[in-house]
Amino acid sequence: MSLSLEEVMLDAETLASRLEFCEGAEELLGTLEQLDALAARTDAVAPVLVPALMRVLKETELAEATQQAVEVVSRLCTTKNGDLVGDDEVATLLDVAESNETYTAVVVLELVSSLAAQNPTRLRRSLLGAPAGGARLMETVSDDREEVRNAAATLWRRLTDGDGQDVDEFRVQFAFLDGFSKIFRCLKTNLEPRVQRECCRLAENVLRGPPVVATCLADAAPDAGLRPFGDLVRALDDARVSWLQNPPPTPGSKEEQEAEEEEDSDDDRDDRDDRDDDDDDDAPP
């Protein structure tokens, strides 16, 4: 029999309360399975379930319970309800991301990445406010597990995309924490096109940051085999400075007309010189 939304919400409140008093792994896992079934019915239960599930993630040491709780939170918050994940919850997810369970770590990173898509500014502030948030998140980029590295690259690409002081702060953190060398190692070890695109987009995002980022790339170049890229960044930076100091004339402007007239004058002089040379060649000895 189909339950009404009111009945589903009542069940959600009952199960969320039960989580606090579960005795033993079997009861905890059974309650989490029932919560997952409710979350599959409707995401309207998110305001009730997410806080309770976050308590489980913070307190339990049971790997299977952690995995189930992460899965339910991900189901409820991947496309919306991101506002339910505040500073404390983000700090808890960082703890879980350091899990020895590969699947759990990947689900957490993908969940945080989806939060970045929903409200990037809020997520960045939460990560920056967490203890060693950027540094801990950076460790996932060089994780021994390929799946974790790939998910981390996508997350960092979103964190470094856009404009603003918080975006630049992540770009600088990434550069200072040896991020370019980590990207290079990821490109060498993973030949999957999607992953390589993510890494290149991440590098592109970071290089849009303050000038110190280019210095970090140049410093990393000898160790990571990126010296040509470091030289290229320097050349591009010099060219940008030169362009800013001497910008080309605006189309249709007086400066452009004067430049065209000067160019035509130079062409006329060249034509006269060519004709004079021809006349000299045709002159009798």
Side-chain angles (χ1 to χ4, degrees), residues 213-270:
V213 169
T215 303
C216 291
L217 173 59
D219 291 341
D223 296 331
L226 297 174
R227 186 184 295 277
F229 296 98
D231 294 339
L232 176 60
V233 168
R234 285 197 192 93
L236 291 174
D237 195 50
D238 291 343
R240 181 175 64 86
V241 171
S242 175
W243 187 89
L244 291 174
Q245 292 174 344
N246 302 288
T250 305
S253 66
K254 179 180 179 181
E255 290 82 0
E256 184 186 44
Q257 294 174 1
E258 291 176 350
E260 290 177 350
E261 291 172 358
E262 183 177 352
E263 183 178 349
D264 292 340
S265 178
D266 290 340
D267 291 340
D268 292 339
R269 267 197 307 273
D270 291 339

Side-chain angles (χ1 to χ4, degrees), residues 83-103:
D83 57 321
L84 297 174
V85 183
D87 295 349
D88 291 341
E89 289 77 15
V90 168
T92 298
L93 290 175
L94 281 176
D95 292 337
V96 180
E98 297 170 342
S99 167
N100 291 326
E101 298 293 328
T102 300
Y103 174 78

Side-chain angles (χ1 to χ4, degrees), residues 34-79:
Q34 294 179 67
L35 288 174
D36 188 28
L38 282 180
R41 283 175 174 267
T42 174
D43 59 12
V45 298
V48 176
L49 297 190
V50 170
L53 291 165
M54 284 296 177
R55 285 195 296 272
V56 172
L57 291 176
K58 186 178 293 187
E59 297 171 2
T60 188
E61 296 181 357
L62 186 63
E64 190 174 351
T66 299
Q67 176 180 317
Q68 285 193 3
V70 164
E71 286 177 336
V72 181
V73 174
S74 177
R75 180 195 294 275
L76 293 171
C77 299
T78 291
T79 57

Side-chain angles (χ1 to χ4, degrees), residues 11 21 24 30 40 50 53 74 97 118-119 123 139 141 150 153 156 165 167 173 191 198 209 231 261 276 280-281:
D11 284 350
F21 306 103
V50 170
L53 291 165
S74 177
Q118 293 180 55
N119 193 333
L123 177 66
E139 290 299 316
V141 180
N150 296 347
W156 272 96
Q165 184 177 350
V167 181
Q173 281 200 24
L191 301 180
E198 287 292 315
D231 294 339
E261 291 172 358
D276 290 342
D280 292 340
D281 291 340

Side-chain angles (χ1 to χ4, degrees), residues 4-16:
S4 67
L5 179 59
E6 184 178 353
E7 291 173 321
V8 171
M9 294 300 295
L10 183 60
D11 284 350
E13 292 174 1
T14 302
L15 290 172

